[in-house]
Amino acid sequence: MKKILIAGAGIAALGLAILPTAGTFADVTDTITVTISGSCSVGSTDSKTGSSNAFSATIANGASKEWAPTSGEGNGGKLYVSCNDNSGWHVNAIGGDGTGTAVTDMVKTGGGTGISTGTTFSGNDSAWGMKLAGSGVESGYSSNYVAIPATSTKVAGGNGAVSENLIYTGYKVYVSSTQASGTYTGKVTYTVAEGVN
């Protein structure tokens, strides 16, 4: 009889050992994670919004017109670049209106021979080109007027995030002595994206 009582007491003690200690609580941890997606934008007016700059002039045969890439009335356009990506930003340019088809000529309304892009603004052939100024502009686009790119080409960029980085756009058009009268239109589309390249 003694042995049975001892065994029973041992089982009871074992049962108490596996019960949780009074006053012990489980921890609850809330973890909140947010991801801010990379975002870049470009505006084109003094209000730093908008999607286009427009320039027009009447030019006589044998003459040229320049919209210089600087501030001031009668000069070129402005691009305000903002990008929140610390890896950097870049601006690409391509001739055309952004519909996917590259057009580097100034197209004549109603058809006919357009004005080809080029870098010689005198002589027998009409030409038009572009030039940029401002922070982050690639050196090849800031020294002289260059041909309008036929493929999407990096023209400016920089490291780190940027807020309203100002880039000036400029254009020059030369009309040869034999260029037919009419209205000619050329377009350049600028795209800003994350990353230096």
Coordinates of all heavy atoms in Angstrom, one line a residue, residues 48-115:
K48 N 6.5 73.9 -63.3 CA 7.1 72.6 -63.2 C 6.2 71.4 -63.5 O 6.4 70.3 -63.1 CB 7.7 72.4 -61.8 CG 8.7 73.5 -61.4 CD 9.2 73.5 -60.0 CE 10.2 74.6 -59.7 NZ 9.6 76.0 -59.9
T49 N 5.1 71.7 -64.2 CA 4.2 70.7 -64.7 C 4.1 70.9 -66.2 O 4.6 71.8 -66.8 CB 2.9 70.7 -64.0 OG1 2.3 72.0 -64.3 CG2 3.0 70.6 -62.5
G50 N 3.2 70.0 -66.8 CA 3.0 70.2 -68.3 C 3.8 69.2 -69.0 O 4.8 68.6 -68.5
S51 N 3.5 69.0 -70.3 CA 4.1 68.0 -71.1 C 4.7 68.5 -72.4 O 5.1 67.7 -73.2 CB 3.1 66.9 -71.4 OG 2.0 67.4 -72.1
S52 N 4.8 69.8 -72.6 CA 5.4 70.2 -73.9 C 5.9 71.6 -73.8 O 5.4 72.5 -73.0 CB 4.3 70.1 -75.0 OG 3.3 71.0 -74.7
N53 N 6.9 71.9 -74.6 CA 7.4 73.2 -74.9 C 7.1 73.4 -76.4 O 7.3 72.5 -77.2 CB 8.8 73.4 -74.6 CG 9.2 73.3 -73.1 OD1 8.7 74.1 -72.4 ND2 10.0 72.3 -72.8
A54 N 6.7 74.6 -76.8 CA 6.4 74.8 -78.3 C 7.2 76.1 -78.7 O 7.2 77.1 -78.0 CB 4.9 75.0 -78.5
F55 N 7.8 76.0 -79.9 CA 8.5 77.2 -80.4 C 8.1 77.3 -81.9 O 8.0 76.3 -82.6 CB 10.0 76.9 -80.3 CG 10.5 76.4 -79.0 CD1 10.7 75.0 -78.8 CD2 10.6 77.2 -77.9 CE1 11.0 74.5 -77.5 CE2 11.0 76.8 -76.7 CZ 11.2 75.4 -76.5
S56 N 8.0 78.5 -82.3 CA 7.7 78.8 -83.8 C 8.4 80.1 -84.2 O 8.6 81.0 -83.4 CB 6.2 78.8 -84.0 OG 5.6 79.9 -83.3
A57 N 8.7 80.1 -85.5 CA 9.3 81.3 -86.1 C 9.1 81.3 -87.6 O 8.9 80.2 -88.2 CB 10.7 81.4 -85.8
T58 N 9.1 82.4 -88.2 CA 9.1 82.5 -89.7 C 10.6 82.8 -90.1 O 11.2 83.8 -89.6 CB 8.2 83.6 -90.2 OG1 6.9 83.3 -89.8 CG2 8.2 83.7 -91.7
I59 N 11.1 82.0 -91.0 CA 12.5 82.1 -91.3 C 12.6 82.3 -92.9 O 12.0 81.5 -93.6 CB 13.3 80.8 -90.9 CG1 13.1 80.5 -89.5 CG2 14.8 81.0 -91.2 CD1 13.7 79.2 -89.0
A60 N 13.4 83.2 -93.3 CA 13.7 83.4 -94.7 C 14.7 82.4 -95.2 O 15.5 81.9 -94.5 CB 14.2 84.8 -95.0
N61 N 14.6 82.1 -96.5 CA 15.6 81.2 -97.1 C 17.0 81.8 -96.9 O 17.2 83.0 -97.0 CB 15.4 81.1 -98.6 CG 14.2 80.2 -98.9 OD1 13.0 80.7 -99.0 ND2 14.4 78.9 -99.0
G62 N 18.0 80.9 -96.6 CA 19.3 81.4 -96.4 C 19.6 81.9 -95.0 O 20.7 82.3 -94.7
A63 N 18.6 81.8 -94.1 CA 18.7 82.3 -92.7 C 18.5 81.1 -91.7 O 18.1 80.0 -92.1 CB 17.7 83.4 -92.5
S64 N 18.8 81.4 -90.5 CA 18.6 80.4 -89.4 C 17.9 81.1 -88.2 O 17.8 82.3 -88.1 CB 19.9 79.8 -89.0 OG 20.8 80.8 -88.4
K65 N 17.4 80.2 -87.4 CA 16.7 80.6 -86.1 C 17.2 79.7 -85.0 O 17.3 78.5 -85.1 CB 15.2 80.5 -86.2 CG 14.4 80.7 -84.9 CD 14.6 82.1 -84.3 CE 13.8 82.2 -83.0 NZ 14.1 83.5 -82.3
E66 N 17.6 80.4 -83.9 CA 18.1 79.6 -82.7 C 17.3 79.9 -81.5 O 16.9 81.1 -81.2 CB 19.6 80.0 -82.4 CG 20.1 79.3 -81.2 CD 21.6 79.7 -80.9 OE1 22.0 80.7 -81.5 OE2 22.2 79.0 -80.1
W67 N 16.9 78.9 -80.8 CA 16.3 79.0 -79.5 C 17.3 78.4 -78.5 O 17.5 77.2 -78.3 CB 15.0 78.1 -79.4 CG 13.9 78.7 -80.2 CD1 13.0 79.6 -79.9 CD2 13.5 78.2 -81.6 NE1 12.1 79.9 -80.9 CE2 12.4 79.0 -82.0 CE3 14.1 77.3 -82.5 CZ2 11.8 78.9 -83.2 CZ3 13.5 77.2 -83.7 CH2 12.4 77.9 -84.1
A68 N 18.1 79.3 -77.9 CA 19.3 78.9 -77.1 C 18.8 78.2 -75.8 O 17.8 78.5 -75.3 CB 20.1 80.1 -76.8
P69 N 19.6 77.2 -75.4 CA 19.3 76.5 -74.1 C 19.7 77.3 -72.9 O 20.6 76.9 -72.1 CB 20.1 75.2 -74.3 CG 21.3 75.6 -75.0 CD 20.8 76.7 -76.0
T70 N 19.0 78.4 -72.7 CA 19.2 79.3 -71.5 C 17.9 79.9 -71.1 O 16.9 79.8 -71.9 CB 20.2 80.4 -71.9 OG1 19.7 81.2 -72.9 CG2 21.6 79.9 -72.2
S71 N 17.9 80.5 -70.0 CA 16.7 81.1 -69.5 C 16.5 82.4 -70.2 O 17.4 83.0 -70.8 CB 16.7 81.4 -68.0 OG 17.8 82.3 -67.7
G72 N 15.3 82.9 -70.3 CA 15.0 84.2 -70.9 C 13.9 84.1 -72.0 O 13.8 83.0 -72.6
E73 N 13.3 85.2 -72.3 CA 12.3 85.2 -73.3 C 12.9 84.9 -74.7 O 13.9 85.4 -75.0 CB 11.7 86.7 -73.3 CG 10.4 86.8 -74.1 CD 9.2 86.0 -73.6 OE1 9.1 85.8 -72.4 OE2 8.4 85.6 -74.4
G74 N 12.2 84.1 -75.4 CA 12.6 83.8 -76.8 C 13.7 82.7 -76.8 O 14.1 82.3 -77.9
N75 N 14.1 82.1 -75.7 CA 15.1 81.1 -75.7 C 14.4 79.7 -75.7 O 13.1 79.6 -75.9 CB 16.1 81.3 -74.6 CG 17.0 82.4 -74.9 OD1 17.4 82.6 -76.0 ND2 17.4 83.1 -73.9
G76 N 15.1 78.7 -75.4 CA 14.6 77.3 -75.4 C 13.7 76.9 -74.3 O 13.2 77.8 -73.6
G77 N 13.5 75.6 -74.1 CA 12.6 75.1 -73.1 C 13.2 74.7 -71.8 O 14.4 74.8 -71.7
K78 N 12.4 74.3 -70.9 CA 12.9 73.8 -69.6 C 12.3 72.4 -69.3 O 11.2 72.1 -69.6 CB 12.4 74.8 -68.5 CG 12.9 76.2 -68.7 CD 12.3 77.1 -67.6 CE 12.8 78.5 -67.8 NZ 12.1 79.4 -66.8
L79 N 13.2 71.6 -68.7 CA 12.8 70.3 -68.2 C 13.1 70.3 -66.7 O 14.2 70.5 -66.3 CB 13.5 69.2 -68.8 CG 13.4 69.0 -70.4 CD1 14.3 67.9 -70.8 CD2 11.9 68.7 -70.7
Y80 N 12.0 70.1 -65.9 CA 12.3 70.0 -64.4 C 12.2 68.5 -64.1 O 11.1 67.9 -64.2 CB 11.2 70.7 -63.6 CG 11.3 72.2 -63.8 CD1 10.5 72.9 -64.8 CD2 12.1 73.0 -63.0 CE1 10.6 74.3 -64.9 CE2 12.2 74.3 -63.1 CZ 11.5 75.0 -64.1 OH 11.6 76.4 -64.2
V81 N 13.3 67.9 -63.7 CA 13.4 66.5 -63.4 C 13.4 66.2 -61.9 O 14.1 66.8 -61.2 CB 14.7 65.9 -64.0 CG1 14.8 64.4 -63.7 CG2 14.8 66.1 -65.5
S82 N 12.5 65.3 -61.5 CA 12.4 64.9 -60.1 C 12.4 63.3 -60.1 O 11.8 62.7 -60.9 CB 11.1 65.4 -59.4 OG 11.1 66.8 -59.4
C83 N 13.2 62.8 -59.2 CA 13.3 61.3 -59.1 C 13.7 61.0 -57.6 O 14.6 61.5 -57.1 CB 14.3 60.8 -60.0 SG 14.2 59.0 -60.3
N84 N 12.9 60.0 -57.0 CA 13.2 59.7 -55.6 C 14.1 58.5 -55.4 O 14.2 58.0 -54.3 CB 11.8 59.4 -54.9 CG 11.2 58.2 -55.4 OD1 11.6 57.5 -56.3 ND2 10.1 57.8 -54.7
D85 N 14.7 58.0 -56.5 CA 15.5 56.8 -56.4 C 17.0 57.2 -56.1 O 17.6 57.9 -56.8 CB 15.5 56.0 -57.7 CG 16.0 54.6 -57.6 OD1 17.0 54.4 -56.9 OD2 15.5 53.8 -58.4
N86 N 17.5 56.6 -55.0 CA 18.9 57.0 -54.6 C 19.9 56.4 -55.5 O 21.1 56.8 -55.5 CB 19.1 56.5 -53.1 CG 18.5 57.3 -52.1 OD1 18.3 58.5 -52.3 ND2 18.1 56.7 -51.0
S87 N 19.5 55.5 -56.4 CA 20.5 54.9 -57.4 C 20.7 55.9 -58.5 O 21.6 55.7 -59.3 CB 19.9 53.6 -57.9 OG 18.8 53.8 -58.7
G88 N 19.9 57.0 -58.6 CA 20.1 58.0 -59.6 C 19.0 58.1 -60.6 O 17.9 57.5 -60.4
W89 N 19.2 58.9 -61.6 CA 18.2 59.2 -62.6 C 18.9 59.4 -64.0 O 20.1 59.7 -64.1 CB 17.4 60.4 -62.2 CG 18.3 61.6 -62.0 CD1 19.0 61.9 -60.9 CD2 18.6 62.6 -63.0 NE1 19.7 63.1 -61.1 CE2 19.5 63.5 -62.4 CE3 18.2 62.9 -64.3 CZ2 20.0 64.7 -63.0 CZ3 18.8 64.0 -65.0 CH2 19.6 64.9 -64.3
H90 N 18.1 59.3 -65.1 CA 18.6 59.7 -66.4 C 17.5 60.2 -67.3 O 16.3 59.8 -67.1 CB 19.4 58.5 -67.0 CG 18.5 57.3 -67.4 ND1 18.2 56.4 -66.5 CD2 17.9 57.0 -68.6 CE1 17.4 55.5 -67.0 NE2 17.2 55.8 -68.3
V91 N 17.8 61.0 -68.2 CA 16.9 61.5 -69.2 C 17.4 61.0 -70.6 O 18.5 61.2 -71.0 CB 16.9 63.0 -69.2 CG1 15.9 63.5 -70.3 CG2 16.4 63.5 -67.9
N92 N 16.4 60.4 -71.3 CA 16.7 60.0 -72.7 C 15.9 60.9 -73.7 O 14.9 61.4 -73.3 CB 16.3 58.5 -72.9 CG 17.3 57.5 -72.4 OD1 18.1 57.9 -71.6 ND2 17.2 56.3 -72.8
A93 N 16.5 61.0 -74.9 CA 15.8 61.8 -75.9 C 15.7 61.0 -77.2 O 16.6 60.2 -77.5 CB 16.6 63.1 -76.2
I94 N 14.7 61.3 -78.0 CA 14.5 60.6 -79.3 C 13.7 61.5 -80.2 O 12.8 62.2 -79.7 CB 13.8 59.2 -79.2 CG1 13.8 58.5 -80.5 CG2 12.5 59.3 -78.5 CD1 13.4 57.1 -80.4
G95 N 14.0 61.6 -81.4 CA 13.2 62.4 -82.4 C 11.9 61.7 -82.6 O 11.8 60.5 -82.8
G96 N 10.8 62.5 -82.5 CA 9.5 62.0 -82.7 C 8.6 62.4 -81.5 O 9.0 63.1 -80.6
D97 N 7.3 62.0 -81.6 CA 6.3 62.5 -80.6 C 6.1 61.4 -79.5 O 5.1 61.5 -78.8 CB 5.0 62.9 -81.3 CG 4.4 61.7 -82.0 OD1 4.9 60.6 -81.9 OD2 3.4 62.0 -82.7
G98 N 6.9 60.4 -79.4 CA 6.8 59.5 -78.3 C 5.8 58.3 -78.6 O 5.5 57.5 -77.8
T99 N 5.4 58.2 -79.9 CA 4.5 57.1 -80.3 C 5.2 55.8 -80.6 O 4.6 54.8 -81.0 CB 3.6 57.5 -81.5 OG1 4.5 57.9 -82.6 CG2 2.8 58.8 -81.1
G100 N 6.5 55.9 -80.6 CA 7.3 54.7 -80.9 C 8.0 54.7 -82.2 O 9.0 53.9 -82.4
T101 N 7.6 55.6 -83.1 CA 8.3 55.7 -84.4 C 9.3 56.9 -84.4 O 8.8 58.0 -84.1 CB 7.3 55.9 -85.5 OG1 6.4 54.8 -85.5 CG2 8.0 55.9 -86.9
A102 N 10.5 56.6 -84.6 CA 11.5 57.7 -84.6 C 11.4 58.5 -85.8 O 11.3 58.0 -86.9 CB 12.9 57.1 -84.4
V103 N 11.3 59.8 -85.7 CA 11.3 60.8 -86.8 C 12.3 61.9 -86.5 O 12.1 62.7 -85.5 CB 9.9 61.4 -87.0 CG1 9.9 62.3 -88.2 CG2 8.8 60.3 -87.2
T104 N 13.3 62.0 -87.2 CA 14.4 63.0 -87.0 C 14.3 64.2 -87.9 O 14.9 65.2 -87.7 CB 15.8 62.4 -87.0 OG1 16.0 61.8 -88.3 CG2 16.0 61.3 -86.0
D105 N 13.5 64.1 -89.0 CA 13.3 65.2 -89.9 C 12.2 66.1 -89.4 O 11.3 65.7 -88.6 CB 12.8 64.7 -91.3 CG 13.9 64.0 -92.1 OD1 15.1 64.0 -91.6 OD2 13.6 63.5 -93.2
M106 N 12.3 67.4 -89.8 CA 11.2 68.3 -89.6 C 10.3 68.0 -90.8 O 10.7 68.1 -92.0 CB 11.6 69.8 -89.6 CG 12.5 70.1 -88.4 SD 12.8 71.9 -88.3 CE 11.3 72.5 -87.6
V107 N 9.0 67.6 -90.5 CA 8.1 67.1 -91.6 C 7.3 68.3 -92.1 O 6.8 69.1 -91.4 CB 7.2 66.1 -91.0 CG1 6.2 65.6 -92.1 CG2 8.0 64.9 -90.5
K108 N 7.2 68.4 -93.5 CA 6.5 69.5 -94.1 C 5.0 69.2 -94.2 O 4.6 68.1 -94.6 CB 7.0 69.7 -95.6 CG 6.4 70.9 -96.3 CD 7.1 71.0 -97.7 CE 6.5 72.3 -98.4 NZ 5.1 72.2 -98.8
T109 N 4.2 70.1 -93.7 CA 2.7 69.9 -93.7 C 2.3 69.8 -95.2 O 2.7 70.6 -96.0 CB 2.0 71.1 -93.1 OG1 2.5 71.3 -91.7 CG2 0.5 71.0 -93.1
G110 N 1.5 68.8 -95.5 CA 1.0 68.6 -96.8 C 2.0 67.7 -97.7 O 1.7 67.4 -98.8
G111 N 3.1 67.3 -97.1 CA 4.1 66.5 -97.8 C 5.2 67.3 -98.5 O 5.1 68.5 -98.6
G112 N 6.2 66.6 -99.0 CA 7.3 67.2 -99.6 C 8.6 66.9 -98.8 O 8.6 66.2 -97.8
T113 N 9.7 67.5 -99.3 CA 11.0 67.3 -98.7 C 11.0 68.0 -97.4 O 10.8 69.2 -97.3 CB 12.1 67.8 -99.6 OG1 12.0 67.1 -100.9 CG2 13.4 67.5 -99.0
G114 N 11.4 67.2 -96.3 CA 11.5 67.8 -95.0 C 12.9 68.4 -94.8 O 13.7 68.5 -95.7
I115 N 13.1 68.8 -93.5 CA 14.4 69.3 -93.1 C 15.1 68.3 -92.3 O 14.6 67.9 -91.2 CB 14.2 70.7 -92.4 CG1 13.6 71.7 -93.3 CG2 15.6 71.1 -91.8 CD1 13.3 73.0 -92.6

